[in-house]
Amino acid sequence: MLGPMARNTAGKAANDDPLAPVTLAVGQEELLLDRAVQEVVAAARAADADTDVRDLAPDALQPGTLAELTSPSLFAERKVVIVRNAQDLSADTIKDVKGYLGAPAEEITLVLLHAGGAKGKGLLDAARKAGAREVACPKMTKPADRLAFVRQEFRSTRRSVTPEACQALVDAIGSDLRELASACAQLVADVEGTIDEAVVARYYTGRAEASSFTVADRAVEGRAAEALEALRWAMSTGVAPVLITSALAQGVRSIGKLASAPRGARPGDLARELGMPPWKIDRVRQQMRGWSADGVAAALRAVAEADAGVKGGGDDPEYALEKAVVAVARAARSRN
């Protein structure tokens, strides 16, 4: 049963109002946490331009501080109180916050930023039980999550973008969500019409050439010279060797998965079965033309050896990667 504050979790729930008495932002993705805060502050200042905003680290919220900040004002001013890293609050301060959750003050919005782990879980549970509005801010560690993030960035601006362009942007920029968001905003501001892969390449060509996925794509296509050139560019610009072996492994596994799939199946059905977007099914189909089952096995062994080499099992990570790239490119011609 919901408490005095209706709760918002994964979808639109009973309360998606940024001015709910308490907002709980849960996760470790700094950009999303900052956006959750900015949304509340913007809504508060839209309601009252003179809103008082207090942004506090956990050591600034001592026992009794919350009571002072949320006490009635003679001027009945609107206030936003932001508590960062709420999981690090002291036990006595957590008691204060739990007590406040049961009877939040009017015209005040409390924003609790919590990492979401086991530490401080009692406060997290208490806020949820009280019905706090919740915003998920998970760390985006998987490429698929970052791809979904990029799609949503463009969708929120109502701009037309191709799936290939979204993937190219993730490949070019990497895992930094702030940089991805900035790149999306730049493309939306600078480009008219549909944003496609050519546009992304034009804006981010240097980074795209250094991408671990570019190395992998050229290798699984059997284009050894281009793959080695992309590898050397990537290494010179600081791309981590482990990201390159990971991309190579992902590329070869995709070839193997699609090669063993039923013939004649539609891209949409294969996408659901293999866990790939339909556009990637089409790309991998083009890449797999020269591959054989023995070639896939040989390539996976070569990538595994390189992975061990770059993780401390060898003296020269770059040489280990070059060997793997050549082996994968050779395997891509194993049917010929």
Side-chain angles (χ1 to χ4, degrees):
M1 185 173 181
L2 295 179
M5 299 165 287
R7 180 181 175 191
N8 172 40
T9 53
K12 292 268 186 180
N15 186 357
D16 197 29
D17 180 6
L19 294 182
V22 177
T23 286
L24 180 64
V26 184
Q28 300 178 45
E29 188 58 69
E30 291 297 329
L31 173 66
L32 300 183
L33 290 168
D34 285 347
R35 284 185 172 182
V37 170
Q38 291 163 9
E39 181 185 25
V40 172
V41 171
R45 286 185 168 154
D48 182 352
D50 295 325
T51 294
D52 181 18
V53 177
R54 304 295 181 92
D55 198 330
L56 307 172
D59 58 358
L61 198 67
Q62 297 298 319
T65 305
L66 184 61
E68 293 176 8
L69 291 173
T70 58
S71 60
S73 166
L74 290 174
F75 303 101
E77 64 181 356
R78 183 176 291 277
K79 187 179 293 184
V80 176
V81 178
I82 303 153
V83 181
R84 298 186 182 270
N85 297 310
Q87 71 277 358
D88 295 331
L89 292 171
S90 69
D92 287 340
T93 303
I94 286 176
K95 288 181 182 178
D96 285 354
V97 177
K98 287 181 176 178
Y100 177 82
L101 293 173
E106 292 185 10
E107 300 298 313
I108 292 177
T109 299
L110 175 65
V111 184
L112 299 174
L113 276 57
H114 194 292
K119 187 177 183 182
K121 190 172 184 298
L123 176 59
L124 191 62
D125 292 343
R128 286 170 170 164
K129 186 176 181 180
R133 167 181 179 260
E134 186 169 337
V135 180
C137 305
K139 196 74 176 175
M140 294 192 180
T141 58
K142 297 179 181 178
D145 294 337
R146 294 191 287 275
L147 183 58
F149 171 80
V150 167
R151 287 172 176 161
Q152 180 56 40
E153 289 292 286
F154 287 118
R155 190 177 297 121
S156 67
T157 62
R158 298 184 179 180
R159 286 299 302 274
S160 176
V161 60
T162 66
E164 293 83 0
C166 292
Q167 183 65 58
L169 196 60
V170 172
D171 291 349
I173 301 297
S175 60
D176 191 311
L177 222 61
R178 290 187 188 278
E179 290 194 28
L180 282 170
S182 176
C184 292
Q186 181 182 24
L187 290 169
V188 166
D190 293 354
V191 177
E192 295 183 2
T194 298
I195 298 168
D196 59 18
E197 192 173 13
V199 169
V200 174
R202 187 166 71 246
Y203 272 73
Y204 299 100
T205 181
R207 299 181 73 157
E209 288 169 3
S211 160
S212 56
F213 288 100
T214 301
V215 177
D217 281 342
R218 300 297 85 80
V220 300
E221 290 162 3
R223 296 153 66 179
E226 293 177 43
L228 287 171
E229 182 181 356
L231 172 64
R232 288 161 190 153
W233 185 293
M235 297 297 288
S236 71
T237 55
V239 175
V242 69
L243 294 180
I244 297 173
T245 56
S246 175
L248 285 168
Q250 183 177 325
V252 176
R253 288 194 193 104
S254 295
I255 298 287
K257 287 165 68 175
L258 192 55
S260 61
R263 292 185 178 274
R266 293 179 301 178
D269 295 334
L270 284 174
R272 286 188 292 274
E273 183 178 342
L274 302 180
M276 299 181 194
W279 66 264
K280 188 171 183 180
I281 297 289
D282 293 336
R283 175 182 286 183
V284 175
R285 271 182 171 158
Q286 294 174 357
Q287 293 174 334
M288 65 183 284
R289 290 170 183 166
W291 284 85
S292 67
D294 289 342
V296 170
L300 286 175
R301 285 195 298 270
V303 174
E305 290 175 7
D307 192 53
V310 303
K311 290 179 178 175
D315 297 328
D316 190 342
E318 187 167 355
Y319 176 65
L321 287 170
E322 287 182 356
K323 280 182 61 179
V325 165
V326 171
V328 171
R330 186 182 298 122
R333 305 294 184 188
S334 57
R335 184 182 290 177
N336 299 335

